Amino acid sequence: MNNFKRDLIVAKFGGTSLADSSQIKKVAEIIKSDSARRYVVASAPGKRFKDDVKITDMLYKCHKNFLNGEDFSGELEKISLRYEDIVKELGIDFDITTEIETIKSTLKTTKAPDYLASRGEYLNSKIIAKFLGFEFVDASEIIFFNENGTLDENKTFSTANERLKNIPYAVIPGFYGILPDANIKTFSRGGSDVTGSIIARSVKADLYENWTDVSGMLSADPRIVKNPKVITYITYTELRELSYMGASVLHEDAVFPVRKAGIPINIRNTNSPQDEGTLISSSVPKNLIRRPITGIAGRKGFSSIRVEKSMMNGQTGFGAKLLYIFAKNDVPFEHCPTGIDTISVIVNSELFDSKREEILREIKNELDPDFITIEKNLAAIAVVGEGMINSKGIAAKIFEAVAKAGINIRMIDQGSDELNIIIGVDESDYELTINSLYELPLIS
Ligand code: ASP
């Protein structure tokens, strides 16, 4: 994984990587082991053990109490104590009491939860900067939102670049930025990933490292497949397909800033830093031999609305009219396999059920079909891999594996870019289908 330049790295550490002083010490070792790790983006302290509470969740609770006019000092005290422990155990001089007092008084002037929620990252980053001897650069100085809540990309990229270019080493809090009215705004949950990506893009980093508590992205859901392999290399396109179907490793919005700039992302494990993790980039190294399938992911909860009309293929605009009915009713379609006289629209069952009567009425009125058949409880499974494009017989092997397991395939769809094959099965066959596909010796 060493065949590209890595002179400038932005390293983002997630909540479990920074949950307490011993984790922060591990992180410091990682940062200090490579002088290219110049910009560190930090999350708030996460869970230290299974039933622990994340600082961000404690802050949201605190804000709820505050809005309800209830006493929130107990909750704030608990938060303060967690930071006090960290500060003490790291052996640094940091006045947490004054910081908490400032938060308390600022809170009185804000209604939205964002300011308080952002303080988890703010305090943790200040502490980590002090421990590392790095400069603290507040996200409110360099991450800008438009009035409508979208990121002001141009202002953010140029200001962050300008502010950071002469700072050799800095810690920046993840998760938030500032609105034109000077109020703090957070990204959605898990948003420190997005901050890391924005900083990487702004400083034109060679690599965006995303340090978490797993050794990379897995080629299948470990709750379904026993010990699935870690994906070593994955392209952005493959990642998008797998994430869309439920595989989660990064905040969805974290991909776009770095992808546009061609900066690879490396998912790494703070608790096992010797593991190479997963490298996400536009293309995989030329000399790398990968198996055709990169990963398998899926979701339950789909319905298929199959519309049949003889001589449909001779009619212009039948498909367009059908899809427009779904669009008008705010039900996006996921897949749309077609036959000569049939067309099926695969949709999220919950969304469809909320508009079912209107949609069916409109289909009947506007398209006058011979039959409409609705199948519920469908699961869709995506088999994803750019290697499938040039390999022959992969689809045959996939369908054979499913057939051998005695599973009835209810829908097949191949993406137009040929990098995925989607199989629809009954929800009750979901786990078995994934396992029988995973047994194929085709996974990278
Ligand atoms: N602390 C925030 C959360 O728990 C953001 C993050 O960690 O990325 O969602």
Side-chain angles (χ1 to χ4, degrees):
M1 218 179 253
N2 289 324
N3 47 2
F4 60 90
K5 205 166 130 240
R6 37 170 92 213
D7 295 340
L8 175 54
I9 298 174
V10 169
K12 178 259 165 178
F13 291 87
T16 48
S17 300
L18 301 167
D20 59 20
S21 63
S22 64
Q23 286 298 92
I24 294 176
K25 284 178 190 165
K26 278 189 205 168
V27 164
E29 233 173 83
I30 291 168
I31 294 166
K32 296 279 164 122
S33 70
D34 188 342
S35 59
R37 295 191 176 112
R38 290 180 42 200
Y39 302 117
V40 175
V41 174
S43 278
K47 291 186 181 192
R48 295 160 293 181
F49 43 86
K50 193 169 163 276
D51 295 323
D52 198 14
V53 186
K54 285 174 157 198
I55 289 279
T56 310
D57 289 321
M58 295 168 89
L59 289 163
Y60 277 117
K61 184 165 175 224
C62 217
H63 187 263
K64 207 166 147 211
N65 291 349
F66 163 72
L67 273 193
N68 292 340
E70 293 161 12
D71 179 32
F72 59 91
S73 54
E75 200 61 26
L76 207 53
E77 181 61 22
K78 274 197 255 167
I79 294 168
S80 176
L81 283 176
R82 267 191 75 175
Y83 283 112
E84 259 173 49
D85 281 347
I86 291 177
V87 166
K88 213 177 340 143
E89 287 158 20
L90 292 179
I92 53 171
D93 181 22
F94 188 86
D95 184 2
I96 196 78
T97 319
T98 310
E99 293 281 359
I100 297 283
E101 281 315 311
T102 312
I103 292 173
K104 253 191 205 165
S105 56
T106 314
L107 186 57
K108 294 193 183 107
T109 64
T110 58
K111 265 232 153 64
D114 299 47
Y115 166 73
L116 191 55
S118 73
R119 296 304 89 182
E121 272 66 15
Y122 173 84
L123 290 176
N124 218 20
S125 300
K126 271 190 142 177
I127 291 168
I128 294 162
K130 185 125 207 193
F131 184 59
L132 291 169
F134 284 16
E135 190 161 328
F136 168 77
V137 176
D138 197 352
S140 63
E141 294 174 51
I142 53 178
I143 306 258
F144 299 94
F145 290 101
N146 295 307
E147 231 164 286
N148 65 5
T150 56
L151 183 74
D152 184 340
E153 291 193 357
N154 292 340
K155 187 170 177 191
T156 298
F157 296 150
S158 62
T159 314
N161 181 275
E162 200 49 43
R163 176 82 172 87
L164 294 170
K165 77 177 179 211
N166 296 320
I167 303 177
Y169 293 97
V171 181
I172 302 125
F175 193 37
Y176 69 94
I178 195 160
L179 285 160
D181 66 3
N183 276 314
I184 294 287
K185 174 177 164 48
T186 61
F187 292 106
S188 56
R189 295 300 303 267
S192 299
D193 283 347
V194 186
T195 311
S197 179
I198 290 170
I199 300 300
R201 165 82 181 267
S202 305
V203 301
K204 303 183 179 67
D206 297 315
L207 179 66
Y208 170 31
E209 286 180 343
N210 191 291
W211 291 82
T212 172
D213 54 3
V214 288
S215 288
M217 184 167 180
L218 298 172
S219 47
D221 185 340
R223 289 166 301 185
I224 299 172
V225 172
K226 210 169 152 209
N227 294 328
K229 293 187 225 174
V230 168
I231 301 173
T232 320
Y233 288 95
I234 185 167
T235 65
Y236 286 123
T237 320
E238 291 171 332
L239 175 75
R240 172 100 182 98
E241 295 283 345
L242 287 172
S243 308
Y244 183 71
M245 289 304 280
S248 78
V249 69
L250 268 182
H251 190 294
E252 219 194 335
D253 297 340
V255 169
F256 298 103
V258 282
R259 181 179 182 166
K260 263 195 186 163
I263 301 167
I265 307 173
N266 192 187
I267 311 288
R268 299 286 295 267
N269 188 351
T270 299
N271 301 321
S272 192
Q274 68 283 0
D275 296 345
E276 290 197 331
T278 301
L279 193 79
I280 309 161
S281 57
S282 313
S283 58
V284 298
K286 283 210 174 62
N287 52 359
L288 182 83
I289 300 170
R290 286 200 306 170
R291 287 183 166 174
I293 298 171
T294 304
I296 299 172
R299 279 196 277 147
K300 293 183 178 177
F302 293 108
S303 293
S304 155
I305 295 83
R306 186 166 182 269
V307 181
E308 214 174 315
K309 187 172 170 82
S310 52
M311 308 306 283
M312 178 198 290
N313 67 334
Q315 289 189 27
T316 310
F318 192 94
K321 281 184 206 149
L322 177 63
L323 292 178
Y324 182 60
I325 292 172
F326 283 88
K328 246 188 346 194
N329 284 286
D330 276 332
V331 178
F333 78 97
E334 307 276 340
H335 306 284
C336 187
T338 55
I340 299 175
D341 289 333
T342 63
I343 176 163
S344 298
V345 185
I346 315 292
V347 290
N348 173 302
S349 298
E350 225 175 275
L351 290 177
F352 173 66
D353 287 346
S354 66
K355 297 287 175 68
R356 186 188 164 106
E357 299 316 318
E358 293 93 307
I359 291 175
L360 295 182
R361 189 174 357 94
E362 287 176 38
I363 295 177
K364 280 181 196 146
N365 290 348
E366 291 173 34
L367 298 171
D368 190 26
D370 299 336
F371 300 103
I372 304 177
T373 322
I374 298 168
E375 289 192 65
K376 295 188 69 164
N377 305 326
L378 269 181
I381 295 155
V383 182
V384 175
E386 289 188 357
M388 294 198 295
I389 301 168
N390 298 318
S391 323
K392 290 199 184 89
I394 303 297
K397 286 185 184 134
I398 289 173
F399 299 132
E400 194 189 326
V402 179
K404 257 195 188 154
I407 297 158
N408 179 22
I409 298 181
R410 291 169 55 184
M411 187 263 298
I412 297 170
D413 194 12
Q414 180 168 32
S416 46
D417 39 16
E418 278 187 57
L419 67 81
N420 65 5
I421 293 177
I422 313 241
I423 302 171
V425 296
D426 201 277
E427 280 181 351
S428 59
D429 289 329
Y430 178 67
E431 286 80 6
L432 182 59
T433 310
I434 292 191
N435 272 301
S436 50
L437 290 170
Y438 200 80
E439 276 165 22
L440 284 170
L442 298 171
I443 320 261
S444 278

